[in-house]
Amino acid sequence: MTDISQTDYEVINGKVDQSSPRASRLSLDSSCSLIINNITADDAGRYSCRPGSDASSDGLVLLNVLTISVADPTKEDFTLYCSLWRYSDLGSCPGKSFHWLDEKRTELTESAESRLRRRCVSSLTVKHQSDTNRRFTCQFIEGTKVKVEVQHTRVHLYHRAGDEAVLSCNRPSSSDSCSSVDWSYERNNDRKQEVHKGMVQSSSRSARLSLDRNCSLIINNITADDAGRYTCRYDTHVYLNVMTISASSTDADPKNDELTLSCSLERFWSGSCPDKSFLWLNETESELTGEGDGYKSGGQTGCVSFLTVNLQSSRRFTCQFVEEKTVKIETHYGSEGMMSHF
C-alpha cells in the first residue's frame, strides 16, 4: 500500500507480512486478491499488486474510505463530520460532492465542505435533538452516482427501573456474526467498553448484559446507574433514559402519613430536562398543580419533580415525563406499590 508520503509492503511472496500493524486483518483469496477486514480510515490509499518482477504489470487499486464522526457529543446541539479518506495524490474532491439526508431521505442543504491533506470533509450542524430519534446519511457523489454512503443514528429510549432494555445496533445486513461488534457506555465523562468483538467485558454489570442474534445489547433489570449513552461500532448512538420514583417521610413522627414523592429521570445530559416537563396526575387522570386536597406540588429541580401527599390506601399518583407534548414515559405510586410503563 502506498500514500504520497510512504510505501508499506503488506504481502511479500504471497504471504502477509506479519510486521504490518494490520496483518491480523489481511489475507489472500484463491485469486490472490487482498482481503482487508474491518477497514478503517488508515487503510485508505493506493494498493499495488505485482504478479512478477516486471513493474509494468503492476495492478493498481485506489481504496477510498468514508467515515462519519460527531464533535462534542456531550451537547444536545452537535456537528457531524463526514470524511472521504483517499490517496493523497488525487487532489481535491469536486464541489458539492457530499449530500446529507435525514431519516425521510430528504436532502439537508445547510452543510459545509473542506479539503484536508488526505481527506475531503463535509460538516452538518444539528440543533436541539436531545429527545428525538434521528438518522443522518452522508453520501459521496461523483457525477450523478452515489459512490458510497454512511449513516449516523441517534436513538432515545425511555425505561423505568427494573425493565429489560434492548439497544439496537445498526449492523450491516452483510455481517453474519457479532464478532466485529463493540458496545461502549458513557456518562459524566466516564467511558467504558461493555462489549468487545462480540464478547461482554468484565464489569460490575456484566451479569446483566448480553447480545441477541442481531447484536443488540440487552440490559436486564436496569437501574438509574445504567442511564447514559451507548455506542455501537456501526455509528449507532443509543441514549438510555431511566425513570425512578421514591417516597420519603416528611416528618420524624411515624404516625404522620404525609410523604414526599420524588420522580427522577436519569439521562446522559444530567439535569437537562426542560422546565415543566414533569406532570403529576391522580387516579382520575386529573393533573395535580399547586396545592389541593391531600397534595402539594413541590416543583421541579433539574430532572427531579416532587409531590407531597397524604397517602391513602385507595389513592394512586402518576408521574409523567413529557417532551414536545408527548408523554415519553410514566410511572405510578399507590396502594398496589410501584409500577411503571410507557
Side-chain angles (χ1 to χ4, degrees), residues 105-205:
R105 307 298 285 185
T106 300
E107 186 172 356
L108 307 173
T109 57
E110 298 299 321
S111 61
E113 296 184 13
S114 60
R115 165 72 183 175
L116 303 177
R117 178 177 170 273
R118 282 191 63 215
R119 59 185 173 129
C120 305
V121 184
S122 178
S123 60
L124 178 74
T125 298
V126 184
K127 297 182 177 296
H128 309 302
Q129 299 297 322
S130 64
D131 67 326
T132 308
N133 297 341
R134 298 296 305 268
R135 183 176 68 248
F136 300 94
T137 300
C138 173
Q139 296 178 332
F140 180 73
I141 311 290
E142 279 190 341
T144 59
K145 294 184 178 180
V146 177
K147 293 296 184 179
V148 63
E149 68 178 33
V150 65
Q151 292 182 342
H152 173 92
T153 304
R154 297 168 70 92
V155 177
H156 297 264
L157 294 181
Y158 291 83
H159 279 286
R160 79 284 189 262
D163 278 354
E164 175 187 272
V166 179
L167 285 59
S168 298
C169 178
N170 190 27
R171 184 180 62 127
S173 58
S174 58
S175 301
D176 57 2
S177 74
C178 298
S179 60
S180 63
V181 170
D182 293 342
W183 276 100
S184 64
Y185 164 78
E186 185 177 2
R187 189 179 178 204
N188 297 329
N189 296 319
D190 182 23
R191 184 180 177 90
K192 300 176 182 177
Q193 189 168 58
E194 302 289 1
V195 175
H196 180 55
K197 294 184 177 181
M199 302 294 293
V200 174
Q201 303 298 289
S202 177
S203 71
S204 59
R205 58 179 154 187

Side-chain angles (χ1 to χ4, degrees), residues 12-79:
I12 301 175
N13 294 328
K15 294 183 179 180
V16 173
D17 183 1
Q18 295 303 310
S19 66
S20 169
R22 70 188 96 196
S24 62
R25 299 187 290 114
L26 303 180
S27 61
L28 295 180
D29 66 11
S30 58
S31 302
C32 300
S33 298
L34 180 64
I35 300 173
I36 310 174
N37 292 310
N38 297 329
I39 64 173
T40 69
D42 290 336
D43 295 322
R46 186 181 70 177
Y47 291 77
S48 302
C49 173
R50 182 169 297 174
S53 58
D54 185 4
S56 64
S57 61
D58 284 1
L60 301 178
V61 177
L62 297 177
L63 177 61
N64 303 275
V65 179
L66 190 67
T67 65
I68 195 167
S69 60
V70 56
D72 202 353
T74 60
K75 295 183 177 180
E76 297 178 48
D77 298 348
F78 59 95
T79 299

